[in-house]
Amino acid sequence: MTLVHVIRHGKPAATWGGADEDPGLDTTGHAQAVAVAEAILALPERPTRVVSSPLRRCRETAEPLARALGVELIIDPRVGEIPTPAALSHEERPAWLKRAFEGRWSEIQGDLDYVAWTQGVAAALREYPGAAVFSHFVALNAAVGVATGRAEVMAFRPDHCSRTVFEIDGDGLILVEKGREAQSQVL
């Protein structure tokens, strides 16, 4: 079985859609990053690569694991945050995302085909067998949706530093285990 572990970033210093476009982790988030690295290192089969969204909160969450494994951090924008319409202001982004989560991927209004975006997230994950991939709330929902065939945007509420496991099956993803869920500040 070829697995890929997808970890949501730790608690950021600012919320999504705020004035800081690329917040790092807060104190709790840094502690969560260390804890998830220790949990992954305790697995019987450790990941051999560490991949991250380019955003700072993901990179900072991934760094303790990459250091412990002695591997270079691979940055892949395809596992990054959902692209929001360019015309939206910072203040409008949370409401746009809330509306998106109430519907289906095909119903999201924006600058791109969001069904295709979900497929791009899944394709990126399939390229990293045996890896730990540090990503985002929405990208995790995209991957779970593709793996389970769900059209709804909201598949689950991954907590900060929760680990979701997929099996890579040729051109597909199979959901093995959803990560820990919690209430999120996203919605």
Side-chain angles (χ1 to χ4, degrees):
M1 183 165 32
T2 305
L3 301 179
V4 60
H5 304 264
V6 186
I7 300 96
R8 183 180 178 206
H9 61 77
K11 187 171 182 268
T15 59
W16 189 87
D20 187 347
E21 287 284 323
D22 193 14
L25 299 177
D26 69 6
T27 304
T28 300
H30 283 289
Q32 290 169 331
V34 170
V36 78
E38 290 171 354
I40 291 170
L41 291 168
L43 294 172
E45 292 184 39
R46 291 179 177 180
T48 55
R49 296 184 286 175
V50 180
V51 180
S52 176
S53 155
L55 296 177
R56 189 171 154 207
R57 58 193 175 272
C58 282
R59 292 190 329 264
E60 288 181 3
T61 307
E63 286 169 355
L65 180 61
R67 265 194 317 272
L69 292 173
V71 298
E72 188 171 325
L73 185 58
I74 301 165
I75 303 298
D76 190 331
R78 297 175 299 168
V79 299
E81 190 60 86
I82 186 170
T84 59
L88 290 183
S89 70
H90 294 295
E91 295 78 24
E92 294 170 314
R93 287 179 180 177
W96 173 83
L97 186 61
K98 186 175 183 340
R99 279 191 309 277
F101 269 116
E102 293 170 350
R104 298 171 174 265
W105 290 105
S106 62
E107 299 167 344
I108 298 176
Q109 300 295 309
D111 300 335
L112 56 100
D113 177 342
Y114 289 97
V115 173
W117 179 77
T118 68
Q119 294 295 326
V121 171
L125 296 178
R126 288 192 307 270
E127 290 180 22
Y128 297 110
V133 179
F134 291 80
S135 189
H136 302 270
F137 186 97
V138 183
L140 268 157
N141 273 277
V144 169
V146 170
T148 61
R150 286 185 58 149
E152 298 84 14
V153 175
M154 178 63 82
F156 80 124
R157 295 176 179 271
D159 198 3
H160 290 115
C161 280
S162 68
R163 181 175 53 91
T164 298
V165 182
F166 297 92
E167 179 182 350
I168 299 170
D169 182 31
D171 289 339
L173 284 178
I174 298 169
L175 179 63
V176 175
E177 178 183 353
K178 281 185 189 176
R180 178 184 70 253
E181 294 192 58
Q183 291 298 322
S184 173
Q185 295 178 11
V186 174
L187 301 175

